[in-house]
Amino acid sequence: MTDHPFDNEFVITREQKEQFSRDGFVKLEGFLNPSVVDVLLDQVDAESSRGAGDAPAPKPGRRFANMQHFLATDKKEVFGLIQRPYFQRGLTELAGRDLFLTYDLSFEIEQSVDRGLPWHAGVSTFGLHFAEDFGCTLWAPLHPIDSNGQRGGIACVPLHVLSAEFVHTTDLALVEVIRARERAGRQTSPQDYRDLRNEILNSPVMDELCDVHMVEYDFAPGDALLFTKNVVHRSIVLGPGELPRRAAYAMRFIDASSRYDLNRAQTLHFPSEQYGEGLFPYRQITSDYVEIGKAGAKDGDLVAQCAYFSDRDLRMVVGA
């Protein structure tokens, strides 16, 4: 068999399996080889350069310099990566099940400008299947991260301290809060909805709890972090130092047996319909959970078999 440039000899250890089971996340040193890092960084750079000449000067407090949702783009290189035997073996050993790639994204922050995301749990990008179904993210920074220096990485709270399982149901319940306010004659705004969502994990008490228990790692390009959808996490600001920016790439995976939750998809889409117009319209990071339904998926259908994913076989991560 001909060697592939993305091949790697990476092997999961017993200690990594135990940590992933206990904490919900684990750092995988050297999971991506230099060829993979170069390809991903080229892809992020290409997206960043689009329209860069017309972009306004950044304002402090912005979340990201560039946040690109790659779902609809050509995935030849990505599919080549996830089909590597080491990749399939490693992720299925940790997750304990076969997986299906749904989304991939890039995140880019500029030094001392972008704040990234506060404590959250990725409700929107896991919005196409049921709350109790397994999901995980593989997050890989494409620049070095020094947690005691310039920082710019990611912080996670171990599952045994706090699980975000409740967030995936509470977030949907907030829509009814908005509807109740409207029925009571109170005009609501996109900011009202944002504030409700933010307070779930970013009230003073929750913020202190997460800050005390958070784990933050150093990373070299090629290292990755795998964490479940129930892990509470947030961005870390890139402080003063040598790096002017930090790019990262992420893949979202769900259990290959996950089924489409039409009610969840429609409820998550409500704010976009309610506040989709006006001076400051509300925009979700993605609405593909609704597009899957428009492509013919019915409630309870296997997500991996939905017509929306015509390249479904290439998205499968299957164990031995």
Side-chain angles (χ1 to χ4, degrees):
M1 182 181 294
T2 304
D3 290 341
H4 190 283
F6 294 168
D7 282 337
N8 197 330
E9 298 299 320
F10 188 92
V11 175
I12 298 294
T13 67
R14 179 174 57 84
E15 290 76 18
Q16 288 171 325
K17 291 180 183 179
E18 291 174 351
Q19 185 192 346
F20 188 71
S21 176
R22 179 185 67 249
D23 297 340
F25 59 84
V26 63
K27 177 184 171 182
L28 307 174
E29 292 187 13
F31 190 68
L32 306 177
N33 74 24
S35 295
V36 177
V37 175
D38 288 345
V39 166
L40 294 177
L41 193 52
D42 285 346
Q43 190 172 17
V44 172
D45 286 343
E47 294 295 339
S48 298
S49 64
R50 293 182 185 180
D54 301 324
K59 296 180 179 179
R62 180 183 62 182
R63 285 195 167 179
F64 294 101
N66 181 50
M67 187 173 184
Q68 182 64 35
H69 184 211
F70 287 127
L71 183 64
T73 66
D74 176 50
K75 293 188 182 298
K76 178 181 177 181
E77 304 289 3
V78 172
F79 291 154
L81 171 62
I82 69 173
Q83 294 303 315
R84 306 307 353 118
Y86 91 90
F87 192 102
Q88 300 228 339
R89 182 179 60 251
L91 261 63
T92 56
E93 284 184 6
L94 287 168
R97 68 200 76 210
D98 295 341
L99 300 171
F100 183 77
L101 172 68
T102 54
Y103 304 100
D104 60 334
L105 313 92
S106 70
F107 304 85
E108 193 172 19
I109 56 175
E110 287 187 20
Q111 179 188 135
S112 303
V113 173
D114 302 310
R115 70 184 191 277
L117 292 172
W119 294 114
H120 67 288
V123 172
S124 297
T125 49
F126 286 109
L128 44 71
H129 67 170
F130 288 86
E132 61 269 24
D133 289 340
F134 178 85
C136 64
T137 296
L138 185 72
W139 183 87
L142 305 177
H143 296 98
I145 291 174
D146 179 358
S147 62
N148 293 309
Q150 199 172 359
R151 303 180 77 186
I154 187 172
C156 295
V157 180
L159 279 182
H160 61 83
V161 173
L162 176 67
S163 170
E165 183 176 0
F166 78 99
V167 178
H168 292 277
T169 53
T170 304
D171 197 276
L172 269 64
L174 296 181
V175 169
E176 188 55 35
V177 173
I178 291 293
R179 288 174 172 155
R181 289 180 180 180
E182 293 280 351
R183 289 194 298 268
R186 295 172 57 185
Q187 184 176 1
T188 61
S189 68
Q191 192 58 48
D192 291 328
Y193 181 67
R194 293 189 187 98
D195 289 344
L196 282 171
R197 296 190 79 193
N198 188 61
E199 282 298 305
I200 297 176
L201 290 173
N202 293 276
S203 66
V205 171
M206 292 295 281
D207 195 52
E208 184 176 10
L209 184 152
C210 291
D211 284 349
V212 167
H213 291 280
M214 76 179 197
V215 177
E216 181 184 1
Y217 292 112
D218 294 337
F219 289 92
D223 296 344
L225 186 73
L226 185 71
F227 56 95
T228 76
K229 74 177 190 180
N230 288 331
V231 168
V232 177
H233 57 286
R234 72 171 174 87
S235 308
I236 301 291
V237 172
L238 182 67
E242 182 178 347
L243 283 178
R245 67 185 181 110
R246 187 275 293 155
Y249 177 77
M251 298 178 179
R252 307 282 201 238
F253 297 92
I254 62 173
D255 189 319
S257 65
S258 291
R259 296 186 178 274
Y260 184 52
D261 187 345
L262 179 60
N263 177 65
R264 170 172 293 275
Q266 292 174 336
T267 305
L268 283 173
H269 197 55
F270 169 80
S272 296
E273 295 179 334
Q274 178 81 355
Y275 309 120
E277 306 294 334
L279 186 60
F280 301 105
Y282 183 86
R283 293 286 185 268
Q284 289 277 27
I285 181 176
T286 177
S287 62
D288 292 297
Y289 43 76
V290 173
E291 298 303 317
I292 290 171
K294 292 179 179 179
K298 306 299 183 184
D299 187 51
D301 282 355
L302 281 171
V303 174
Q305 296 299 317
C306 293
Y308 187 81
F309 298 108
S310 59
D311 48 11
R312 61 183 64 87
D313 290 344
L314 298 174
R315 294 172 176 270
M316 291 296 298
V317 178
V318 182

